[in-house]
Amino acid sequence: MSSSTRDIGGTQRPVPRIALAALVAVLAGAAACAPSSQQGGGAAPGSATPSAVIDDAASFDLDALVAAAKKEGSLTVYDSSGDITKVAKAFSAKYGIKTTGVKNKVGDTLEKMTRENQADNVTIDMTLYEDGPSLVGELLPQKVVHTWIPADLADGVAAANRSPLLVLSKANVWVYNPKLFPKGCPVDNIWDLVGPEWKGKVSLQDPLGKPNIVEWFNQMSNGADQALRDAYKANSGEELKTSQKSAAEEWVVGLAKNHPVLTSADDDVAAAVASPKQTQPRIGLVSNAKFRDVEEKNYSMRVCDTLKPWSGYLYPKYSAIATKTKHPNAAKLFTHFILTEEGITHEMGAGGIPGSTAVKQGSFTPDGLKDWNKELFAFDPKYLAKDFADTEAMQDLWRISHS
């Protein structure tokens, strides 16, 4: 089996080129519902399951799970958002279990969890994970993690959110500075961003360092070809002609060649667009979380609500438990917590859509964004395995086009 180097969240590591059929395998064998001392389990490599593990509802006992989790004494959870520290604090306060929340880049989390699993020395008990392709393509089939859904909350988790378990959808949105453009967003079509008038004026995180941007490219390539072609025709009056295999890849090449300003963090993108001293016109792609900077840093920033076909995209955050964790019940209890309003609200300080329909959407909405579901491109989980298989090719396309 050949291998190549793949960028994941700024980390380069050897990745086998696994056949697509094997990539869709989702780990079925998880620890039993509650309480449990099992740490491993799982389907045989190459097998596929349609959803995460859900124990028999009749046997689920939340009180017993709480008691077993407290006996284990501690928990460590990794997340790419600093909000995890707030969730950990709230969980500790509720259950009296010492819980550490660690902000860490998704690629580094993948690397560390994989090595810990191989060494049988697990310190990361579970993760809230934002790179679906590597979760489905590596962590799950290699039995590094498994996905579990508490039976008493399963009805609130739609089938599409079970493979793997989605706990929150956040957004990356295109933003502008309303002080510089008081009449509204200066662009109304995503194809404008690859045009000469916006050369060097578009800012975003380097896609090679932020996995969900590359995944967005692939998701558009796999599921939004016609929408992008229609947007091109609406913008230019002509049919799109491309040498690439999809309209999305044509757009990606155009954006890369248009000299975008690349950063290592959304903070820098937000500053480039919206800082009080900014006088240059910029369009930026940032997380909805950056709208907290509007008040905290006196930024002037608004979502490009006129941008077609979308003002940005929704990207998912998944929950996964380390198969060799020494604290399986505490990890399950945390999973239960994060599927409730009490738990997930700490991740929704700047908005988001909970993975459970039983939880209300956060009240905060970035300025200019009226409807998260209608105005943002949403990832389709059925493409996760293909996204993983296509990651390297899309990274190469960006790298070559941007050089």
Side-chain angles (χ1 to χ4, degrees), residues 171-182 184-186 203 265-278 280 282-305 311 350 364-369:
N172 276 347
V173 289
W174 292 105
V175 297
Y176 71 102
N177 189 325
K179 287 187 177 180
L180 299 180
F181 299 100
C185 184
S203 183
D266 277 357
D267 289 337
D268 297 326
V269 179
V273 173
S275 65
K277 296 182 180 180
Q278 180 57 264
Q280 299 299 315
R282 296 282 189 273
I283 298 293
L285 182 68
V286 300
S287 166
N288 59 278
K290 294 299 102 181
F291 275 82
R292 286 179 288 202
D293 293 341
V294 171
E295 183 175 346
E296 295 175 4
K297 299 181 180 180
N298 194 31
Y299 279 6
S300 178
M301 189 163 65
R302 195 171 193 274
V303 175
C304 282
D305 56 327
S311 297
F364 180 86
T365 298
D367 185 27
L369 183 62

Tab-separated table of all heavy atoms in Angstrom, residues 171-182 184-186 203 265-278 280 282-305 311 350 364-369:
chain	number	residue	atom	x	y	z
A	171	ALA	N	-20.342	28.035	11.956
A	171	ALA	CA	-20.335	28.648	10.631
A	171	ALA	C	-19.042	29.406	10.363
A	171	ALA	O	-18.473	30.038	11.257
A	171	ALA	CB	-21.514	29.595	10.477
A	172	ASN	N	-18.589	29.323	9.123
A	172	ASN	CA	-17.605	30.251	8.579
A	172	ASN	C	-18.357	31.142	7.604
A	172	ASN	O	-19.055	30.637	6.710
A	172	ASN	CB	-16.475	29.520	7.861
A	172	ASN	CG	-15.390	29.066	8.817
A	172	ASN	OD1	-15.345	29.477	9.966
A	172	ASN	ND2	-14.508	28.207	8.350
A	173	VAL	N	-18.243	32.437	7.766
A	173	VAL	CA	-19.035	33.381	6.969
A	173	VAL	C	-18.140	34.426	6.309
A	173	VAL	O	-17.088	34.791	6.827
A	173	VAL	CB	-20.095	34.084	7.843
A	173	VAL	CG1	-21.191	33.108	8.238
A	173	VAL	CG2	-19.474	34.720	9.096
A	174	TRP	N	-18.597	34.890	5.146
A	174	TRP	CA	-17.913	35.976	4.458
A	174	TRP	C	-18.357	37.296	5.085
A	174	TRP	O	-19.553	37.546	5.269
A	174	TRP	CB	-18.253	35.979	2.972
A	174	TRP	CG	-17.695	34.813	2.226
A	174	TRP	CD1	-18.357	33.708	1.769
A	174	TRP	CD2	-16.324	34.631	1.834
A	174	TRP	NE1	-17.502	32.846	1.134
A	174	TRP	CE2	-16.242	33.378	1.158
A	174	TRP	CE3	-15.159	35.384	1.994
A	174	TRP	CZ2	-15.045	32.893	0.643
A	174	TRP	CZ3	-13.963	34.893	1.482
A	174	TRP	CH2	-13.912	33.658	0.815
A	175	VAL	N	-17.380	38.129	5.440
A	175	VAL	CA	-17.687	39.380	6.144
A	175	VAL	C	-17.052	40.578	5.447
A	175	VAL	O	-16.071	40.444	4.705
A	175	VAL	CB	-17.208	39.325	7.608
A	175	VAL	CG1	-17.950	38.236	8.377
A	175	VAL	CG2	-15.692	39.113	7.702
A	176	TYR	N	-17.623	41.736	5.706
A	176	TYR	CA	-17.092	43.002	5.199
A	176	TYR	C	-17.177	44.051	6.295
A	176	TYR	O	-17.755	43.814	7.368
A	176	TYR	CB	-17.866	43.457	3.955
A	176	TYR	CG	-19.281	43.932	4.239
A	176	TYR	CD1	-19.593	45.300	4.295
A	176	TYR	CD2	-20.315	43.023	4.440
A	176	TYR	CE1	-20.883	45.732	4.557
A	176	TYR	CE2	-21.614	43.447	4.691
A	176	TYR	CZ	-21.893	44.804	4.754
A	176	TYR	OH	-23.176	45.230	5.010
A	177	ASN	N	-16.624	45.216	6.032
A	177	ASN	CA	-16.617	46.318	6.991
A	177	ASN	C	-17.697	47.337	6.599
A	177	ASN	O	-17.550	48.044	5.604
A	177	ASN	CB	-15.241	46.986	6.992
A	177	ASN	CG	-15.066	47.997	8.103
A	177	ASN	OD1	-15.998	48.693	8.477
A	177	ASN	ND2	-13.847	48.089	8.626
A	178	PRO	N	-18.796	47.416	7.357
A	178	PRO	CA	-19.883	48.328	6.990
A	178	PRO	C	-19.522	49.804	7.097
A	178	PRO	O	-20.202	50.647	6.496
A	178	PRO	CB	-21.012	47.951	7.953
A	178	PRO	CG	-20.339	47.295	9.101
A	178	PRO	CD	-19.137	46.608	8.535
A	179	LYS	N	-18.465	50.135	7.827
A	179	LYS	CA	-18.025	51.539	7.862
A	179	LYS	C	-17.400	51.937	6.528
A	179	LYS	O	-17.530	53.086	6.094
A	179	LYS	CB	-17.032	51.745	9.001
A	179	LYS	CG	-17.668	51.736	10.379
A	179	LYS	CD	-16.662	52.105	11.458
A	179	LYS	CE	-17.329	52.160	12.831
A	179	LYS	NZ	-16.361	52.508	13.904
A	180	LEU	N	-16.728	50.988	5.890
A	180	LEU	CA	-16.137	51.260	4.584
A	180	LEU	C	-17.152	51.085	3.463
A	180	LEU	O	-17.006	51.679	2.391
A	180	LEU	CB	-14.942	50.329	4.346
A	180	LEU	CG	-13.770	50.451	5.334
A	180	LEU	CD1	-12.666	49.468	4.973
A	180	LEU	CD2	-13.227	51.878	5.359
A	181	PHE	N	-18.156	50.254	3.724
A	181	PHE	CA	-19.200	49.995	2.724
A	181	PHE	C	-20.583	50.166	3.369
A	181	PHE	O	-21.282	49.188	3.646
A	181	PHE	CB	-19.056	48.579	2.158
A	181	PHE	CG	-17.756	48.316	1.455
A	181	PHE	CD1	-16.726	47.635	2.094
A	181	PHE	CD2	-17.554	48.763	0.156
A	181	PHE	CE1	-15.525	47.397	1.453
A	181	PHE	CE2	-16.356	48.526	-0.500
A	181	PHE	CZ	-15.332	47.844	0.149
A	182	PRO	N	-20.967	51.409	3.629
A	182	PRO	CA	-22.225	51.670	4.337
A	182	PRO	C	-23.471	51.237	3.567
A	182	PRO	O	-24.534	51.067	4.167
A	182	PRO	CB	-22.205	53.191	4.549
A	182	PRO	CG	-21.281	53.713	3.500
A	182	PRO	CD	-20.247	52.659	3.321
A	184	GLY	N	-23.798	48.379	2.055
A	184	GLY	CA	-23.916	46.930	2.085
A	184	GLY	C	-22.696	46.235	1.525
A	184	GLY	O	-21.726	46.875	1.079
A	185	CYS	N	-22.730	44.926	1.538
A	185	CYS	CA	-21.600	44.130	1.069
A	185	CYS	C	-21.261	44.494	-0.379
A	185	CYS	O	-22.148	44.564	-1.234
A	185	CYS	CB	-21.932	42.640	1.163
A	185	CYS	SG	-20.553	41.563	0.706
A	186	PRO	N	-19.993	44.735	-0.678
A	186	PRO	CA	-19.603	45.165	-2.025
A	186	PRO	C	-19.600	44.040	-3.066
A	186	PRO	O	-19.363	44.303	-4.237
A	186	PRO	CB	-18.182	45.702	-1.818
A	186	PRO	CG	-17.664	44.932	-0.650
A	186	PRO	CD	-18.845	44.723	0.251
A	203	SER	N	-9.322	37.745	2.318
A	203	SER	CA	-8.504	37.165	3.375
A	203	SER	C	-9.202	35.964	3.998
A	203	SER	O	-10.414	35.965	4.203
A	203	SER	CB	-8.213	38.213	4.460
A	203	SER	OG	-7.364	37.693	5.460
A	265	ALA	N	-4.767	32.256	11.580
A	265	ALA	CA	-5.858	32.303	12.551
A	265	ALA	C	-6.947	33.266	12.088
A	265	ALA	O	-6.670	34.247	11.388
A	265	ALA	CB	-5.332	32.735	13.921
A	266	ASP	N	-8.176	32.972	12.501
A	266	ASP	CA	-9.294	33.851	12.169
A	266	ASP	C	-9.147	35.230	12.790
A	266	ASP	O	-9.694	36.210	12.278
A	266	ASP	CB	-10.616	33.231	12.655
A	266	ASP	CG	-11.164	32.211	11.671
A	266	ASP	OD1	-10.552	32.034	10.601
A	266	ASP	OD2	-12.197	31.587	11.968
A	267	ASP	N	-8.432	35.315	13.911
A	267	ASP	CA	-8.222	36.620	14.545
A	267	ASP	C	-7.587	37.601	13.565
A	267	ASP	O	-7.961	38.779	13.508
A	267	ASP	CB	-7.310	36.472	15.771
A	267	ASP	CG	-8.004	35.777	16.926
A	267	ASP	OD1	-9.243	35.805	16.970
A	267	ASP	OD2	-7.304	35.202	17.773
A	268	ASP	N	-6.631	37.105	12.783
A	268	ASP	CA	-5.936	37.968	11.837
A	268	ASP	C	-6.835	38.361	10.668
A	268	ASP	O	-6.744	39.473	10.148
A	268	ASP	CB	-4.680	37.267	11.311
A	268	ASP	CG	-3.673	36.980	12.416
A	268	ASP	OD1	-3.584	37.787	13.351
A	268	ASP	OD2	-3.001	35.939	12.349
A	269	VAL	N	-7.703	37.435	10.256
A	269	VAL	CA	-8.655	37.755	9.186
A	269	VAL	C	-9.628	38.831	9.652
A	269	VAL	O	-9.886	39.808	8.947
A	269	VAL	CB	-9.426	36.499	8.749
A	269	VAL	CG1	-10.436	36.862	7.652
A	269	VAL	CG2	-8.474	35.424	8.250
A	270	ALA	N	-10.172	38.653	10.848
A	270	ALA	CA	-11.119	39.632	11.387
A	270	ALA	C	-10.480	41.003	11.516
A	270	ALA	O	-11.096	42.031	11.186
A	270	ALA	CB	-11.647	39.152	12.736
A	271	ALA	N	-9.237	41.031	11.977
A	271	ALA	CA	-8.532	42.309	12.116
A	271	ALA	C	-8.308	42.969	10.764
A	271	ALA	O	-8.441	44.190	10.614
A	271	ALA	CB	-7.199	42.093	12.831
A	272	ALA	N	-7.966	42.163	9.754
A	272	ALA	CA	-7.714	42.701	8.415
A	272	ALA	C	-8.951	43.341	7.810
A	272	ALA	O	-8.852	44.285	7.023
A	272	ALA	CB	-7.197	41.590	7.503
A	273	VAL	N	-10.117	42.827	8.180
A	273	VAL	CA	-11.365	43.347	7.628
A	273	VAL	C	-11.955	44.448	8.483
A	273	VAL	O	-12.412	45.472	7.962
A	273	VAL	CB	-12.401	42.204	7.487
A	273	VAL	CG1	-13.776	42.761	7.083
A	273	VAL	CG2	-11.926	41.171	6.477
A	274	ALA	N	-11.947	44.252	9.805
A	274	ALA	CA	-12.853	45.027	10.652
A	274	ALA	C	-12.221	45.861	11.745
A	274	ALA	O	-12.943	46.522	12.504
A	274	ALA	CB	-13.846	44.054	11.290
A	275	SER	N	-10.908	45.875	11.873
A	275	SER	CA	-10.299	46.630	12.967
A	275	SER	C	-10.587	48.121	12.823
A	275	SER	O	-10.795	48.631	11.710
A	275	SER	CB	-8.788	46.402	13.001
A	275	SER	OG	-8.170	46.925	11.835
A	276	PRO	N	-10.621	48.854	13.929
A	276	PRO	CA	-10.985	50.279	13.894
A	276	PRO	C	-10.120	51.130	12.969
A	276	PRO	O	-10.590	52.136	12.426
A	276	PRO	CB	-10.816	50.711	15.352
A	276	PRO	CG	-10.995	49.460	16.139
A	276	PRO	CD	-10.405	48.368	15.297
A	277	LYS	N	-8.868	50.731	12.778
A	277	LYS	CA	-7.957	51.527	11.955
A	277	LYS	C	-7.916	51.081	10.499
A	277	LYS	O	-7.168	51.642	9.695
A	277	LYS	CB	-6.544	51.468	12.544
A	277	LYS	CG	-6.435	52.082	13.933
A	277	LYS	CD	-5.003	52.031	14.444
A	277	LYS	CE	-4.890	52.647	15.841
A	277	LYS	NZ	-3.485	52.609	16.352
A	278	GLN	N	-8.734	50.102	10.146
A	278	GLN	CA	-8.710	49.584	8.779
A	278	GLN	C	-9.319	50.589	7.807
A	278	GLN	O	-10.427	51.086	7.998
A	278	GLN	CB	-9.476	48.264	8.694
A	278	GLN	CG	-9.512	47.645	7.307
A	278	GLN	CD	-8.127	47.389	6.732
A	278	GLN	OE1	-7.596	48.201	5.968
A	278	GLN	NE2	-7.535	46.263	7.117
A	280	GLN	N	-8.555	49.957	4.230
A	280	GLN	CA	-8.515	49.269	2.952
A	280	GLN	C	-9.706	48.318	2.823
A	280	GLN	O	-10.087	47.653	3.783
A	280	GLN	CB	-7.215	48.477	2.816
A	280	GLN	CG	-5.963	49.334	2.874
A	280	GLN	CD	-5.921	50.348	1.745
A	280	GLN	OE1	-6.211	50.018	0.588
A	280	GLN	NE2	-5.571	51.579	2.084
A	282	ARG	N	-11.669	45.076	2.273
A	282	ARG	CA	-11.342	43.664	2.410
A	282	ARG	C	-12.633	42.861	2.530
A	282	ARG	O	-13.633	43.316	3.069
A	282	ARG	CB	-10.501	43.402	3.664
A	282	ARG	CG	-9.122	44.056	3.657
A	282	ARG	CD	-8.151	43.276	2.794
A	282	ARG	NE	-6.787	43.765	2.944
A	282	ARG	CZ	-6.249	44.746	2.250
A	282	ARG	NH1	-6.985	45.364	1.345
A	282	ARG	NH2	-5.005	45.128	2.438
A	283	ILE	N	-12.580	41.632	2.048
A	283	ILE	CA	-13.610	40.628	2.318
A	283	ILE	C	-12.902	39.477	3.022
A	283	ILE	O	-11.819	39.056	2.597
A	283	ILE	CB	-14.269	40.115	1.023
A	283	ILE	CG1	-14.974	41.248	0.285
A	283	ILE	CG2	-15.255	38.987	1.335
A	283	ILE	CD1	-16.174	41.804	1.008
A	284	GLY	N	-13.479	38.968	4.086
A	284	GLY	CA	-12.819	37.911	4.835
A	284	GLY	C	-13.740	36.751	5.147
A	284	GLY	O	-14.965	36.913	5.220
A	285	LEU	N	-13.159	35.580	5.308
A	285	LEU	CA	-13.890	34.383	5.712
A	285	LEU	C	-13.485	34.066	7.151
A	285	LEU	O	-12.328	33.750	7.421
A	285	LEU	CB	-13.546	33.209	4.792
A	285	LEU	CG	-14.276	31.894	5.080
A	285	LEU	CD1	-15.770	32.023	4.767
A	285	LEU	CD2	-13.669	30.754	4.250
A	286	VAL	N	-14.448	34.148	8.080
A	286	VAL	CA	-14.142	33.947	9.494
A	286	VAL	C	-15.203	33.076	10.159
A	286	VAL	O	-16.336	32.967	9.684
A	286	VAL	CB	-14.045	35.283	10.264
A	286	VAL	CG1	-12.952	36.166	9.697
A	286	VAL	CG2	-15.381	36.029	10.250
A	287	SER	N	-14.833	32.514	11.291
A	287	SER	CA	-15.783	31.775	12.112
A	287	SER	C	-16.794	32.732	12.723
A	287	SER	O	-16.474	33.894	13.028
A	287	SER	CB	-15.041	31.036	13.228
A	287	SER	OG	-15.941	30.576	14.214
A	288	ASN	N	-17.997	32.240	12.932
A	288	ASN	CA	-19.011	33.075	13.583
A	288	ASN	C	-18.556	33.511	14.977
A	288	ASN	O	-19.018	34.539	15.502
A	288	ASN	CB	-20.343	32.335	13.692
A	288	ASN	CG	-20.272	31.043	14.465
A	288	ASN	OD1	-19.888	30.013	13.913
A	288	ASN	ND2	-20.646	31.051	15.747
A	289	ALA	N	-17.628	32.771	15.575
A	289	ALA	CA	-17.130	33.119	16.911
A	289	ALA	C	-16.436	34.477	16.923
A	289	ALA	O	-16.376	35.145	17.961
A	289	ALA	CB	-16.167	32.041	17.414
A	290	LYS	N	-15.915	34.904	15.782
A	290	LYS	CA	-15.197	36.180	15.736
A	290	LYS	C	-16.118	37.388	15.921
A	290	LYS	O	-15.630	38.497	16.138
A	290	LYS	CB	-14.437	36.303	14.414
A	290	LYS	CG	-13.309	35.308	14.237
A	290	LYS	CD	-12.243	35.454	15.314
A	290	LYS	CE	-12.344	34.385	16.394
A	290	LYS	NZ	-11.324	34.552	17.445
A	291	PHE	N	-17.410	37.167	15.872
A	291	PHE	CA	-18.322	38.294	16.081
A	291	PHE	C	-18.345	38.751	17.535
A	291	PHE	O	-18.886	39.814	17.844
A	291	PHE	CB	-19.733	37.957	15.578
A	291	PHE	CG	-19.883	38.215	14.110
A	291	PHE	CD1	-19.449	37.286	13.178
A	291	PHE	CD2	-20.416	39.409	13.647
A	291	PHE	CE1	-19.557	37.536	11.819
A	291	PHE	CE2	-20.523	39.678	12.291
A	291	PHE	CZ	-20.095	38.735	11.369
A	292	ARG	N	-17.735	37.977	18.403
A	292	ARG	CA	-17.547	38.461	19.765
A	292	ARG	C	-16.557	39.617	19.790
A	292	ARG	O	-16.563	40.434	20.710
A	292	ARG	CB	-17.049	37.313	20.653
A	292	ARG	CG	-18.134	36.301	20.977
A	292	ARG	CD	-17.633	35.170	21.833
A	292	ARG	NE	-16.760	34.258	21.109
A	292	ARG	CZ	-16.532	33.010	21.473
A	292	ARG	NH1	-17.102	32.526	22.561
A	292	ARG	NH2	-15.729	32.229	20.777
A	293	ASP	N	-15.702	39.693	18.764
A	293	ASP	CA	-14.714	40.773	18.693
A	293	ASP	C	-15.347	42.119	18.348
A	293	ASP	O	-14.721	43.164	18.565
A	293	ASP	CB	-13.643	40.447	17.644
A	293	ASP	CG	-12.788	39.254	18.038
A	293	ASP	OD1	-12.769	38.923	19.241
A	293	ASP	OD2	-12.170	38.654	17.153
A	294	VAL	N	-16.533	42.095	17.787
A	294	VAL	CA	-17.190	43.355	17.415
A	294	VAL	C	-17.333	44.247	18.637
A	294	VAL	O	-17.035	45.445	18.595
A	294	VAL	CB	-18.568	43.076	16.771
A	294	VAL	CG1	-19.341	44.375	16.582
A	294	VAL	CG2	-18.389	42.366	15.427
A	295	GLU	N	-17.774	43.661	19.727
A	295	GLU	CA	-17.942	44.445	20.958
A	295	GLU	C	-16.642	44.542	21.745
A	295	GLU	O	-16.272	45.620	22.213
A	295	GLU	CB	-19.027	43.806	21.830
A	295	GLU	CG	-19.318	44.585	23.104
A	295	GLU	CD	-20.479	44.009	23.887
A	295	GLU	OE1	-21.224	43.178	23.327
A	295	GLU	OE2	-20.640	44.381	25.068
A	296	GLU	N	-15.941	43.425	21.855
A	296	GLU	CA	-14.738	43.391	22.675
A	296	GLU	C	-13.614	44.248	22.120
A	296	GLU	O	-12.848	44.859	22.870
A	296	GLU	CB	-14.259	41.946	22.827
A	296	GLU	CG	-15.231	41.052	23.597
A	296	GLU	CD	-14.778	39.605	23.619
A	296	GLU	OE1	-13.675	39.324	23.094
A	296	GLU	OE2	-15.514	38.756	24.145
A	297	LYS	N	-13.497	44.306	20.774
A	297	LYS	CA	-12.385	45.028	20.151
A	297	LYS	C	-12.837	46.212	19.309
A	297	LYS	O	-12.045	46.794	18.580
A	297	LYS	CB	-11.572	44.059	19.274
A	297	LYS	CG	-10.962	42.905	20.055
A	297	LYS	CD	-10.152	41.985	19.146
A	297	LYS	CE	-9.537	40.827	19.927
A	297	LYS	NZ	-8.754	39.918	19.060
A	298	ASN	N	-14.118	46.537	19.395
A	298	ASN	CA	-14.668	47.663	18.642
A	298	ASN	C	-14.494	47.485	17.144
A	298	ASN	O	-14.161	48.419	16.410
A	298	ASN	CB	-14.027	48.983	19.101
A	298	ASN	CG	-14.802	50.200	18.602
A	298	ASN	OD1	-16.020	50.148	18.427
A	298	ASN	ND2	-14.092	51.293	18.369
A	299	TYR	N	-14.724	46.272	16.674
A	299	TYR	CA	-14.622	45.970	15.254
A	299	TYR	C	-15.908	46.374	14.524
A	299	TYR	O	-16.990	46.418	15.119
A	299	TYR	CB	-14.389	44.473	15.033
A	299	TYR	CG	-12.951	44.035	15.208
A	299	TYR	CD1	-11.959	44.903	15.658
A	299	TYR	CD2	-12.573	42.727	14.923
A	299	TYR	CE1	-10.655	44.490	15.814
A	299	TYR	CE2	-11.263	42.298	15.077
A	299	TYR	CZ	-10.302	43.189	15.526
A	299	TYR	OH	-9.009	42.776	15.677
A	300	SER	N	-15.757	46.638	13.246
A	300	SER	CA	-16.902	46.893	12.370
A	300	SER	C	-16.977	45.739	11.373
A	300	SER	O	-16.175	45.656	10.450
A	300	SER	CB	-16.716	48.229	11.632
A	300	SER	OG	-17.790	48.456	10.753
A	301	MET	N	-17.955	44.853	11.576
A	301	MET	CA	-17.981	43.628	10.787
A	301	MET	C	-19.423	43.156	10.595
A	301	MET	O	-20.225	43.150	11.524
A	301	MET	CB	-17.177	42.536	11.501
A	301	MET	CG	-16.944	41.273	10.702
A	301	MET	SD	-15.592	40.268	11.412
A	301	MET	CE	-16.292	39.797	12.996
A	302	ARG	N	-19.729	42.744	9.372
A	302	ARG	CA	-21.077	42.279	9.059
A	302	ARG	C	-20.995	41.154	8.028
A	302	ARG	O	-20.120	41.146	7.162
A	302	ARG	CB	-21.930	43.434	8.521
A	302	ARG	CG	-23.422	43.165	8.504
A	302	ARG	CD	-24.197	44.448	8.155
A	302	ARG	NE	-25.618	44.299	8.434
A	302	ARG	CZ	-26.503	43.780	7.588
A	302	ARG	NH1	-26.099	43.386	6.383
A	302	ARG	NH2	-27.767	43.668	7.922
A	303	VAL	N	-21.914	40.202	8.128
A	303	VAL	CA	-21.976	39.117	7.160
A	303	VAL	C	-22.419	39.644	5.803
A	303	VAL	O	-23.312	40.495	5.717
A	303	VAL	CB	-22.958	38.018	7.630
A	303	VAL	CG1	-23.115	36.931	6.564
A	303	VAL	CG2	-22.474	37.405	8.932
A	304	CYS	N	-21.798	39.126	4.737
A	304	CYS	CA	-22.205	39.487	3.377
A	304	CYS	C	-23.520	38.777	3.046
A	304	CYS	O	-23.532	37.726	2.387
A	304	CYS	CB	-21.113	39.098	2.369
A	304	CYS	SG	-19.718	40.202	2.311
A	305	ASP	N	-24.608	39.359	3.498
A	305	ASP	CA	-25.908	38.703	3.376
A	305	ASP	C	-26.433	38.677	1.950
A	305	ASP	O	-27.358	37.915	1.633
A	305	ASP	CB	-26.936	39.370	4.296
A	305	ASP	CG	-27.070	40.857	4.056
A	305	ASP	OD1	-26.063	41.503	3.710
A	305	ASP	OD2	-28.189	41.381	4.213
A	311	SER	N	-23.785	32.768	1.912
A	311	SER	CA	-23.001	33.755	2.657
A	311	SER	C	-21.862	33.111	3.444
A	311	SER	O	-21.089	33.801	4.105
A	311	SER	CB	-23.911	34.517	3.642
A	311	SER	OG	-24.904	35.240	2.960
A	350	ALA	N	-21.299	32.238	20.500
A	350	ALA	CA	-21.363	33.068	19.293
A	350	ALA	C	-22.292	32.448	18.259
A	350	ALA	O	-22.200	32.746	17.078
A	350	ALA	CB	-19.974	33.260	18.706
A	364	PHE	N	-27.821	34.009	19.767
A	364	PHE	CA	-26.915	34.938	19.098
A	364	PHE	C	-26.851	34.646	17.599
A	364	PHE	O	-26.715	33.497	17.181
A	364	PHE	CB	-25.502	34.842	19.679
A	364	PHE	CG	-24.520	35.774	19.015
A	364	PHE	CD1	-24.396	37.080	19.447
A	364	PHE	CD2	-23.745	35.353	17.948
A	364	PHE	CE1	-23.508	37.945	18.822
A	364	PHE	CE2	-22.852	36.210	17.328
A	364	PHE	CZ	-22.734	37.514	17.767
A	365	THR	N	-26.950	35.697	16.811
A	365	THR	CA	-26.808	35.583	15.359
A	365	THR	C	-25.870	36.682	14.871
A	365	THR	O	-26.090	37.855	15.175
A	365	THR	CB	-28.166	35.728	14.642
A	365	THR	OG1	-29.036	34.677	15.066
A	365	THR	CG2	-27.992	35.641	13.139
A	366	PRO	N	-24.816	36.345	14.132
A	366	PRO	CA	-23.910	37.368	13.606
A	366	PRO	C	-24.671	38.418	12.794
A	366	PRO	O	-25.609	38.086	12.073
A	366	PRO	CB	-22.952	36.565	12.722
A	366	PRO	CG	-22.985	35.194	13.292
A	366	PRO	CD	-24.391	34.992	13.758
A	367	ASP	N	-24.283	39.660	12.918
A	367	ASP	CA	-24.933	40.752	12.204
A	367	ASP	C	-24.964	40.480	10.703
A	367	ASP	O	-23.932	40.251	10.083
A	367	ASP	CB	-24.183	42.062	12.481
A	367	ASP	CG	-24.874	43.270	11.865
A	367	ASP	OD1	-26.108	43.229	11.686
A	367	ASP	OD2	-24.171	44.257	11.557
A	368	GLY	N	-26.153	40.485	10.141
A	368	GLY	CA	-26.325	40.271	8.709
A	368	GLY	C	-26.799	38.866	8.361
A	368	GLY	O	-27.311	38.640	7.266
A	369	LEU	N	-26.636	37.910	9.275
A	369	LEU	CA	-27.066	36.536	9.016
A	369	LEU	C	-28.468	36.342	9.599
A	369	LEU	O	-28.656	36.386	10.807
A	369	LEU	CB	-26.093	35.538	9.635
A	369	LEU	CG	-26.377	34.057	9.389
A	369	LEU	CD1	-26.316	33.735	7.902
A	369	LEU	CD2	-25.391	33.193	10.165
